[in-house]
């Protein structure tokens, strides 16, 4: 034990601590007050590598509330929110090689192929802010091909959050959606009505693809795609009921992410 106390005494001296009694750990105090061990813990932690932020994928059908939950997750955990649309537009705006290739398809009115979308996402995930803060992939991978490409690229996630909402509820949400083209804000005539101001009411837009036929087709396509994707993330999948108070749902998602971070640090 004498060697143990010699080590403690040496550590104490290094951090400017006085020992009132070598017979009790609780008697070790910092000069000016405070406990030696909390100070040592803080000093040592400064030299340890910091744990990277969480890596999250969130998936849900159109009008499942995915966008709202993304906002909560980013606000709570400070991760980098990445949607394929935003990442694609950033590449085009920056005039990168990937952006130029994507723009060629877009100007022709053609869909940007999976291979190019995958390269754009991979490039975004490789940026320093994603490595430091963690990331939130919004609706990607959308297909089994994209999920397979992620696997081959060695891109792994900590969580696959899947929001489940009945078709009838999705349809009701979509049919009542209205967008303000000036602010970009999305309202719902029943659940989140727009302000009563006449100017705002007149400029609201009902998207051309927010029709009953279109939403049914989009829901079916989503189901086919998500069934292919979820197989790649079965071990990290968390299925949640997307119907209910949005704050309650956000709380459940936060608890899942927090619990994983806590376990990963033990």
């Amino acid at each position: 034990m004498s060697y143990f106390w010699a080590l403690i005494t040496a550590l104490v001296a290094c951090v400017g601590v006085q020992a009132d009694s070598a017979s009790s750990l609780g008697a070790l105090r910092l000069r000016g007050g405070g406990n030696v061990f909390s100070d040592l813990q803080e000093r040592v932690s400064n030299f340890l590598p910091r744990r990277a932020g969480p890596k999250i994928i969130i998936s849900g059908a159109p009008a499942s509330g995915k966008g709202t939950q993304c906002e909560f997750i980013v606000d709570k955990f400070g991760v980098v929110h990445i949607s394929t649309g935003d990442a694609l537009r950033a590449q085009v705006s920056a005039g990168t090689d990937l952006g130029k290739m994507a723009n060629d398809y877009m100007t022709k009115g053609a869909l940007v192929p999976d291979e190019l979308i995958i390269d754009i996402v991979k490039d975004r995930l490789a940026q320093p802010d994603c490595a430091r803060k963690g990331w939130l992939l919004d609706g990607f991978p959308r297909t089994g091909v994209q999920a397979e490409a992620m696997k081959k690229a060695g891109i792994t996630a900590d969580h696959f959050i899947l929001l489940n909402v009945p078709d009838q509820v999705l349809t009701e949400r979509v049919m009542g959606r209205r967008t303000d083209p000036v602010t970009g804000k999305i309202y719902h005539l029943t659940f989140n009505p727009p302000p009563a101001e006449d100017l705002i009411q007149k400029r609201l837009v009902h998207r051309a693809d927010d029709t009953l036929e279109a939403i049914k087709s989009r829901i079916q396509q989503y189901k086919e795609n998500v069934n292919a994707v979820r197989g790649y993330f079965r071990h990290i999948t968390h299925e949640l009921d997307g119907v209910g108070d949005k704050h309650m749902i956000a709380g459940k998602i936060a608890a899942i992410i927090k619990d994983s971070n806590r376990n990963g640090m033990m």
Side-chain angles (χ1 to χ4, degrees):
M1 288 295 290
S2 60
Y3 294 105
F4 172 76
W5 287 112
L7 178 60
I8 290 293
T9 303
L11 288 171
V12 166
C14 288
V15 295
V17 180
Q18 62 184 18
D20 298 324
S21 169
S23 63
S24 172
L25 295 178
L28 295 176
R29 294 289 183 269
L30 292 172
R31 294 187 184 118
N35 186 283
V36 58
F37 297 105
S38 60
D39 183 75
L40 281 174
Q41 184 181 32
E42 181 179 350
R43 288 168 183 261
V44 170
S45 66
N46 289 334
F47 292 95
L48 295 176
R50 294 187 180 276
R51 178 176 170 82
K55 297 176 290 184
I56 309 158
I57 299 170
I58 188 167
S59 181
S64 62
K66 182 164 57 68
T68 298
Q69 294 307 319
C70 282
E71 292 177 6
F72 283 126
I73 293 170
V74 171
D75 184 60
K76 181 73 175 177
F77 297 98
V79 293
V80 179
H81 180 207
I82 302 170
S83 71
T84 52
D86 289 343
L88 192 154
R89 284 186 288 272
Q91 292 276 357
V92 171
S93 178
T96 65
D97 290 340
L98 290 174
K100 291 175 182 176
M101 287 188 284
N103 195 47
D104 286 342
Y105 288 97
M106 294 164 66
T107 53
K108 296 173 185 176
L111 291 174
V112 179
D114 268 346
E115 295 79 5
L116 190 50
I117 290 292
I118 291 163
D119 285 341
I120 288 173
V121 172
K122 285 166 57 178
D123 181 76
R124 183 65 187 91
L125 292 176
Q127 300 303 312
D129 58 343
C130 288
R132 185 176 68 257
K133 298 179 179 180
W135 42 259
L136 170 63
L137 282 177
D138 180 356
F140 183 93
R142 192 178 301 275
T143 65
V145 172
Q146 293 176 350
E148 178 65 22
M150 277 187 68
K151 180 180 177 181
K152 289 181 177 178
I155 300 171
T156 59
D158 300 320
H159 306 283
F160 182 78
I161 306 293
L162 182 58
L163 296 177
N164 291 322
V165 178
D167 293 1
Q168 183 178 348
V169 176
L170 292 172
T171 301
E172 185 179 1
R173 287 179 178 179
V174 169
M175 296 300 291
R177 283 197 306 203
R178 298 293 185 273
T179 303
D180 184 339
V182 175
T183 64
K185 190 171 180 60
I186 298 176
Y187 299 99
H188 190 280
L189 298 181
T190 303
F191 308 121
N192 180 32
E197 298 175 34
D198 190 54
L199 181 63
I200 295 177
Q201 293 276 347
K202 287 182 177 180
R203 71 186 185 212
L204 294 178
V205 175
H206 188 207
R207 280 173 43 173
D209 58 347
D210 278 355
T211 62
L212 183 59
E213 294 75 17
I215 186 56
K216 285 183 177 179
S217 174
R218 287 159 62 195
I219 291 173
Q220 183 58 38
Q221 185 177 37
Y222 163 77
K223 288 180 177 178
E224 293 172 1
N225 287 335
V226 79
N227 285 334
V229 169
R230 69 197 306 176
Y232 289 87
F233 306 102
R234 189 172 289 110
H235 62 296
I236 58 168
T237 295
H238 309 277
E239 295 195 41
L240 296 172
D241 185 354
V243 179
D245 181 78
K246 60 185 179 182
H247 297 283
M248 293 287 288
I249 298 169
K252 292 178 182 178
I253 294 175
I256 290 169
I257 298 171
K258 279 183 178 179
D259 185 61
S260 173
N261 285 350
R262 188 182 303 114
N263 291 336
M265 294 173 69
M266 291 175 65

